[in-house]
């Protein structure tokens, strides 16, 4: 067929490529959600979008070392970094783990609500919003009006720290919007911080909080477990997969307490590799769900196998 059309195209003065390459490039991406089963639970990874990070300047190791590792992984700076959140439907409760940026980090992120709706859920269905920590790319999208039936849960060490007079005075672009988020829920009687220091605070049956302090004073991991299947939600336990999986000792400037953040990460990596459960990570390439496998002094990241979720 093509060979028969070719003389016609040539007669019209068109090259074969011109005749066959019709239409502008479209840009954009498929809606950012990915669904899988975890025992009886359904987990939906939700993309808030991505942000460009100058990770060579943010990681606490020589920039040239970071650049070499990135280049070896066919990556570059600024590194386009996913911002992921996760919806867990236990069958009786719907829990949203982190909420994205709500545009605090520019127009390439802030898409969580759109993607939640595209995935078939509504914000009204969310019962609990659990926050790993109060950085703007995790709590920014929490809104008491957008999620009219949800309770906001997080470790009180984070709210005590970030809402303190000292932190508010230091300001920063994130301080006021984050305080407004919490105030919205508190005014509606739907802000319930917890003391997670002992570990195992139950959010809803099958979902618990565990302390992973260091990145922020109250940084928490959440665990969903059903029928022997387990997924741990890591928040900002790590930021740059290409660097920190092979070398978990590398800290990042975002860490409030780098001395605590490093062992928290190393402990979590070791446990995940040993026990073989799923981990779901905020800043690993979407959907950010996978397994860890010990490799030398570090770990390989094994992204979740694609599923049509039959
Ligand atoms: Zn953070
Ligand atoms: Zn983050």
């Amino acid at each position: 067929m093509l060979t028969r059309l070719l003389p016609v195209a040539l007669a019209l003065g068109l090259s074969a490529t011109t005749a066959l390459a019709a239409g502008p490039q479209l840009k954009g991406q498929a809606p950012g959600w990915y669904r899988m089963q975890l025992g009886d639970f359904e987990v939906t990874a939700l993309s808030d979008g991505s942000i460009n990070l100058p990770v060579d300047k943010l990681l606490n190791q020589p920039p040239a070392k970071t650049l070499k590792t990135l280049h070896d992984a066919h990556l570059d700076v600024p590194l386009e970094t996913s911002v992921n959140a996760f919806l867990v439907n236990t069958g009786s409760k719907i829990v949203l783990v982190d909420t994205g940026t709500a545009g605090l980090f520019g127009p390439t992120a802030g898409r969580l609500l759109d993607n939640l709706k595209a995935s078939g859920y509504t914000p009204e269905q969310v019962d609990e919003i659990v926050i790993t920590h109060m950085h703007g790319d995790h709590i920014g999208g929490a809104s008491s009006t957008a999620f009219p039936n949800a309770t906001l849960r997080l470790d009180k060490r984070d709210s005590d720290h970030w809402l303190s007079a000292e932190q508010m005075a230091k300001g920063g672009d994130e301080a006021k919007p984050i305080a407004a988020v919490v105030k919205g829920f508190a005014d509606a009687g739907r802000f319930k911080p917890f003391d997670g220091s002992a570990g195992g605070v139950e959010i809803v049956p099958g979902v618990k909080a565990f302390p992973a302090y260091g990145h922020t004073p109250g940084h928490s991991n959440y665990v969903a477990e059903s029928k022997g299947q387990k997924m741990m939600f890591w928040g900002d336990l790590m930021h740059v997969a290409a660097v920190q999986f092979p070398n978990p000792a590398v800290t990042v400037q975002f860490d409030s307490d780098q001395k605590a953040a490093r062992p928290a990460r190393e402990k979590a990596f070791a446990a995940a590799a040993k026990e073989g459960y799923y981990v779901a990570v905020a800043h690993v390439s979407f959907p950010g769900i996978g397994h860890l496998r010990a490799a030398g002094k570090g770990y390989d990241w094994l992204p979740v196998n694609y599923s049509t979720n039959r």
Side-chain angles (χ1 to χ4, degrees):
M1 183 67 182
L2 289 178
T3 37
R4 270 197 285 130
L5 283 176
L6 203 52
V8 179
L10 292 174
L12 290 170
L14 303 170
S15 75
T17 21
T18 316
L20 294 173
Q25 296 178 353
L26 296 176
K27 310 298 180 190
Q29 192 51 277
W33 59 271
Y34 178 79
R35 195 116 69 208
M36 59 174 281
Q37 287 299 124
L38 184 79
D40 284 340
F41 293 179
E42 181 182 83
V43 176
T44 305
L46 297 169
S47 172
D48 189 59
S50 63
I51 47 181
N52 282 346
L53 292 179
V55 297
D56 51 330
K57 297 184 182 72
L58 295 172
L59 291 172
N60 293 311
Q61 68 171 3
K65 200 172 175 192
T66 299
L67 288 172
K68 162 108 180 51
T69 304
L70 291 177
H71 289 165
D72 288 349
H74 302 277
L75 297 167
D76 210 339
V77 286
L79 183 64
E80 185 170 358
T81 302
S82 290
V83 180
N84 309 322
F86 303 92
L87 193 77
V88 182
N89 184 347
T90 70
S92 58
K93 292 286 181 186
I94 295 183
V95 181
L96 177 61
V97 184
D98 284 340
T99 61
T101 63
L104 287 174
F105 291 77
T108 57
R111 302 173 182 186
L112 177 108
L113 266 184
D114 285 348
N115 284 323
L116 186 149
K117 289 173 193 165
S119 82
Y121 284 100
T122 67
E124 290 79 10
Q125 289 177 287
V126 176
D127 298 297
E128 308 281 342
I129 295 175
V130 296
I131 299 295
T132 57
H133 67 295
M134 287 174 63
H135 280 160
D137 53 322
H138 298 259
I139 195 172
S143 152
S144 60
T145 47
F147 296 95
N149 302 310
T151 301
L152 185 68
R153 312 296 310 275
L154 51 85
D155 192 297
K156 72 186 192 65
R157 277 160 191 74
D158 243 36
S159 46
D160 288 351
H161 173 76
W162 294 108
L163 301 178
S164 68
E166 189 194 346
Q167 279 298 326
M168 290 308 295
K170 275 190 197 168
D173 291 345
E174 287 176 49
K176 279 191 183 146
I178 289 170
V181 162
V182 175
K183 186 174 186 308
F185 282 94
D187 288 351
R190 293 188 274 123
F191 176 52
K192 292 190 181 165
F194 52 81
D195 176 1
S197 57
V201 172
E202 184 174 85
I203 304 297
V204 300
V207 180
K208 289 178 177 166
F210 290 89
Y213 304 153
H215 175 64
T216 63
H219 183 281
S220 300
N221 294 334
Y222 295 93
V223 173
E225 200 162 7
S226 170
K227 290 208 163 154
Q229 289 202 40
K230 179 169 162 180
M231 184 178 289
M232 188 169 275
F233 301 88
W234 271 356
D236 275 7
L237 215 54
M238 48 86 58
H239 292 80
V240 186
V243 172
Q244 290 172 300
F245 282 127
N247 187 2
V250 179
T251 53
V252 69
Q253 286 175 28
F254 302 135
D255 292 337
S256 301
D257 179 350
Q258 288 164 13
K259 282 205 183 84
R262 175 180 164 175
R265 174 168 50 259
E266 290 172 334
K267 194 175 140 201
F269 280 19
K274 184 165 180 259
E275 292 185 42
Y277 48 73
Y278 284 106
V279 291
V281 200
H283 301 306
V284 165
S285 202
F286 183 77
I289 297 174
H291 289 94
L292 269 71
R293 180 175 60 199
K297 290 180 181 164
Y299 300 87
D300 290 329
W301 170 250
L302 309 173
V304 63
N305 192 35
Y306 182 73
S307 167
T308 54
N309 199 35
R310 281 164 291 176

